[in-house]
Amino acid sequence: MTRHPTDTPQFYLTAPSPCPYLEGQQERKVFTHLVGSRAQALNDVLTQGGFRRSQNIAYRPACEACKACVSVRVRVDDFHWTRSFRRQWRRNADLIGTASTPAPSAQQYDLFRRYLDARHAEGGMSDMTVLDYAMMIEDTHVETMLIEYRRRGPDTFLTGSGEGPLLGVALTDLLSDGLSMVYSYFEPNAPSRSLGTHLILDHIERARALALPYVYLGYWVNGSPKMDYKARFQPQEHLGPDGWHPAN
């Protein structure tokens, strides 16, 4: 059995592989393991330093010839609610997100597969099995939560939970200074709801309620249309060589 040190993290570098966002580019990643009693504190520090979490791995790009991936976080207190955001928020007023300890379900996986098949059929996650999905949700040593989004029902005021079909899911880490959206997916057959936007707006409001200053959105990739949506959430900060700074 391979044992990983829990006190002093060791970092590793992956071999080059085709970039999933920019055609013709090669990507490399530096990564370490998030295990043991210090995993939560390490996840805090690494996320603030531009890393992302996947299961019990923290990683960040380490590409030699490209710097297109930029870590992005939204400033919660100053967030600008545009007219478009307000319309989308009102459109989804019938939805409620219920947070719980991460646990996979068949209903989640069914929605996950529909989302991948519709949005990312050629992506690296397209061949994930039920077991792979369960590991993505459960395999963690840090404080995280799973938020399920469903329509409000007649008993919601009593239970605090939505009812009916599952429309969206977010796996979210709780940090000392914010919420980090690890992975989210949603019903692809409800385009009028703009569910991807709604999940981010909901996280901004959750962070505000918790008095947390940031929502971490992962990487914005300059030149990748898939990542353009992240630039809509302003004001935001980008991580550069000299630390976090307001995005222009």
Side-chain angles (χ1 to χ4, degrees), residues 11-25:
F11 293 86
Y12 308 89
L13 187 64
T14 65
S17 61
C19 176
Y21 299 108
L22 299 176
E23 186 175 355
Q25 294 286 355

Side-chain angles (χ1 to χ4, degrees), residues 55 109 112-117 120-134 136 183:
Q55 296 176 222
Y109 183 72
F112 176 69
R113 286 260 38 114
R114 292 201 306 276
Y115 172 79
L116 288 182
D117 292 344
H120 304 285
E122 305 300 324
M125 302 175 73
S126 60
D127 59 351
M128 284 181 64
T129 66
V130 173
L131 179 59
D132 294 330
Y133 175 80
M136 181 178 77
Y183 191 77

Side-chain angles (χ1 to χ4, degrees), residues 192-208:
S192 64
R193 282 186 175 272
S194 301
L195 288 169
T197 296
H198 179 73
L199 266 58
I200 295 176
L201 294 175
D202 181 66
H203 276 70
I204 290 170
E205 290 307 295
R206 287 175 183 270
R208 192 191 311 278

Side-chain angles (χ1 to χ4, degrees), residues 207-227:
R208 192 191 311 278
L210 294 169
L212 296 172
Y214 302 111
V215 171
Y216 289 81
L217 297 183
Y219 302 117
W220 168 69
V221 184
N222 190 12
S224 173
K226 293 180 181 179
M227 294 295 178

Side-chain angles (χ1 to χ4, degrees), residues 132-150:
D132 294 330
Y133 175 80
M135 292 292 289
M136 181 178 77
I137 298 299
E138 292 182 322
D139 191 8
T140 179
H141 291 251
V142 306
E143 188 175 0
T144 189
M145 61 183 173
L146 192 75
I147 307 173
E148 293 189 339
Y149 295 84
R150 303 175 191 267

Side-chain angles (χ1 to χ4, degrees), residues 225-248:
K226 293 180 181 179
M227 294 295 178
D228 284 348
Y229 73 93
K230 294 186 180 182
R232 299 174 56 213
F233 299 89
Q234 298 287 341
Q236 60 183 227
E237 297 180 358
H238 291 179
L239 182 61
D242 56 348
W244 291 94
H245 57 84
N248 295 326

Side-chain angles (χ1 to χ4, degrees), residues 2-76:
T2 301
R3 298 183 63 86
H4 304 292
T6 60
D7 293 328
T8 303
Q10 295 186 5
F11 293 86
Y12 308 89
L13 187 64
T14 65
S17 61
C19 176
Y21 299 108
L22 299 176
E23 186 175 355
Q25 294 286 355
Q26 294 283 303
E27 72 166 357
R28 301 189 77 178
K29 296 175 181 176
V30 60
F31 70 93
T32 190
H33 297 273
L34 293 169
V35 294
S37 60
R38 297 183 61 185
Q40 178 65 30
L42 183 60
N43 190 42
D44 252 45
V45 171
L46 292 180
T47 302
Q48 293 161 6
F51 280 71
R52 295 288 288 164
R53 183 178 74 81
S54 177
Q55 296 176 222
N56 62 3
I57 297 291
Y59 67 91
R60 68 171 296 172
C63 307
E64 297 173 357
C66 179
K67 303 298 180 185
C69 292
V70 179
S71 294
V72 173
R73 65 186 186 186
V74 180
R75 295 211 311 262
V76 170

